[in-house]
Amino acid sequence: MSRRLAGLVAVCSLCAFGFAPVAVAQQCAAPAGNYTGPVNWAQRLVGAERVWPLTDGAGQRIAVVAPGGVEAAGQLAGRVREAQSDCDGRGTFAAGIIAAPTDPGTTFAGIAPGSQVLSVRVPQGDPDSLAAGITRAVEGGATVIAVVSPSASGSGALSAAVRNALSRNVVVVASAAGDKPGTRTYPGALPGVLAVGGIDANGSPVSAESGEHLSLAAPGADLVSVSAGGRGHRWGVGAPAFAVAYVAGAAALVRGYRTDLTAEQVRTRLLVTAGGAGGAHDPLLGWGVLDAYSAVTAELPEGIAAPVVGERPSAGPTPTVVIAAGPPEPPRQDRLAGALAVLGVLAAGVAVVATAAARRGRARGWRIG
């Protein structure tokens, strides 16, 4: 393959994820300027700002596992551990959705603006490289791991890395970014991992990947976030892979507010509080659309387990409502005492009236007045 053709292939791979480079020679993601438009629909849908009075994700470290790692660009300045120059752009874009703080120069902000990001660069598509990246994230102190670019296949090393992360109490979230219906990508298809599909502003699925392994859906079209290569943003970006960032950010909020919860309990909260799937598993939406506010604030019964495909998810037993026929009948002695008290009052009243009438009769000589 000639250099020119190789360059064009690299450019097209970026465009497919919404990152059109400024020039063919640069071949890297670049910002389009500061976004100052209306608050993006995805931010409004997730509504994370309602949770910020309780937690903004402070104390949480989210590892973003992506082909280019994460660049400390724009609003992410000072927020990224082990930051790298991210020519690919996807890692930085996802990290912005997760952790970008509010800024007076833009209406864009991340889901958990108090959290920090750990950059983990891995080659795209290789399951063993993903396994090594997940292991680095765990060793780097991540409380949540977001896999932006999954692999089309699994491996023993990847399964072992995921099991180790879960055993170390780390929430693992992965994009379900397969390009064909019925396909499975990894690590999202592995047990215990939250596999996330994308939706558009109308709530319609935009992910091709589908199946029983899908956990949740989150925004994956027409998005805004921080861009690698400068201080600006990219917007209008459509890629189901970025839905993983919203769920990872919500997981950070849950962990920031409920520090005693295990990774499995956080996963369960995200699943049972999701909405829009009608109480049943949908192969494209999973158990429903992310509801960050409910995931943080809902009071769930102790011991509740994550839903299983084929079973209806529930936040607890359905309460039984009994319509009362009337006030409860008091004990017999209470009724008798009450009756005697009423009779006593009536008798006293009659006595007072009779006494007054007798006095007036005597005064008139018992003549009719």
Side-chain angles (χ1 to χ4, degrees):
M1 180 184 294
S2 68
R3 284 186 186 176
R4 181 179 179 81
L5 181 56
L8 290 173
V9 170
V11 170
C12 290
S13 67
L14 293 171
C15 294
F17 283 87
F19 292 93
V22 172
V24 172
Q26 189 178 4
Q27 300 176 11
C28 290
N34 279 341
Y35 179 80
T36 57
V39 175
N40 183 249
W41 74 271
Q43 285 178 243
R44 296 198 306 271
L45 176 69
V46 176
E49 68 279 357
R50 295 188 297 159
V51 181
W52 293 344
L54 302 175
T55 175
D56 61 0
Q60 303 305 304
R61 182 175 296 168
I62 299 89
V64 176
V65 182
V70 179
E71 186 173 312
Q75 287 163 270
L76 290 175
R79 299 266 174 168
V80 184
R81 288 175 55 91
E82 302 183 22
Q84 296 156 313
S85 178
D86 178 20
C87 179
D88 178 84
R90 283 173 282 180
T92 303
F93 195 91
I97 291 172
I98 294 169
T102 57
D103 186 284
T106 178
T107 56
F108 168 75
I111 302 302
S115 64
Q116 287 195 337
V117 171
L118 174 63
S119 173
V120 180
R121 178 185 286 173
V122 295
Q124 182 169 341
D126 178 38
D128 289 348
S129 296
L130 269 180
I134 289 172
T135 300
R136 290 203 306 274
V138 172
E139 297 302 325
T143 56
V144 179
I145 296 175
V147 178
V148 177
S149 183
S151 172
S153 61
S155 70
L158 182 55
S159 296
V162 168
R163 287 195 301 269
N164 175 62
L166 298 176
S167 71
R168 298 277 291 272
N169 202 30
V170 180
V171 178
V172 182
V173 190
S175 64
D179 58 357
K180 296 179 181 178
T183 58
R184 289 178 174 236
T185 55
Y186 294 82
L190 296 175
V193 178
L194 285 164
V196 186
I199 59 170
D200 61 19
N202 297 317
S204 300
V206 294
S207 301
E209 182 172 342
S210 62
E212 293 184 346
H213 65 290
L214 260 289
S215 304
L216 289 170
D222 192 26
L223 307 176
V224 177
S225 188
V226 176
S227 176
R231 292 193 53 81
H233 303 87
R234 297 293 297 177
W235 58 83
V237 175
F242 295 127
V244 69
Y246 293 94
V247 176
L253 292 177
V254 174
R255 302 213 86 166
Y257 184 57
R258 298 175 178 267
T259 57
D260 59 322
L261 296 183
T262 65
E264 178 58 24
Q265 288 172 323
V266 173
R267 174 176 172 269
T268 297
R269 277 188 159 271
L270 292 167
L271 292 177
V272 301
T273 57
H281 186 273
D282 184 286
L284 286 169
L285 297 175
W287 292 107
V289 177
L290 172 69
D291 185 339
Y293 181 79
S294 294
V296 172
T297 61
E299 293 297 331
L300 303 182
E302 292 185 9
I304 185 172
V308 178
V309 174
E311 299 179 4
R312 185 183 188 281
S314 172
T318 303
T320 302
V321 179
V322 179
I323 301 176
E329 184 177 351
R332 293 183 64 84
Q333 62 267 29
D334 291 346
R335 286 171 38 182
L336 178 60
L340 291 175
V342 171
L343 289 175
V345 172
L346 291 174
V350 170
V352 170
V353 172
T355 300
R359 288 176 179 172
R360 293 181 65 187
R362 283 195 298 271
R364 295 193 180 112
W366 300 106
R367 295 191 304 270
I368 298 176

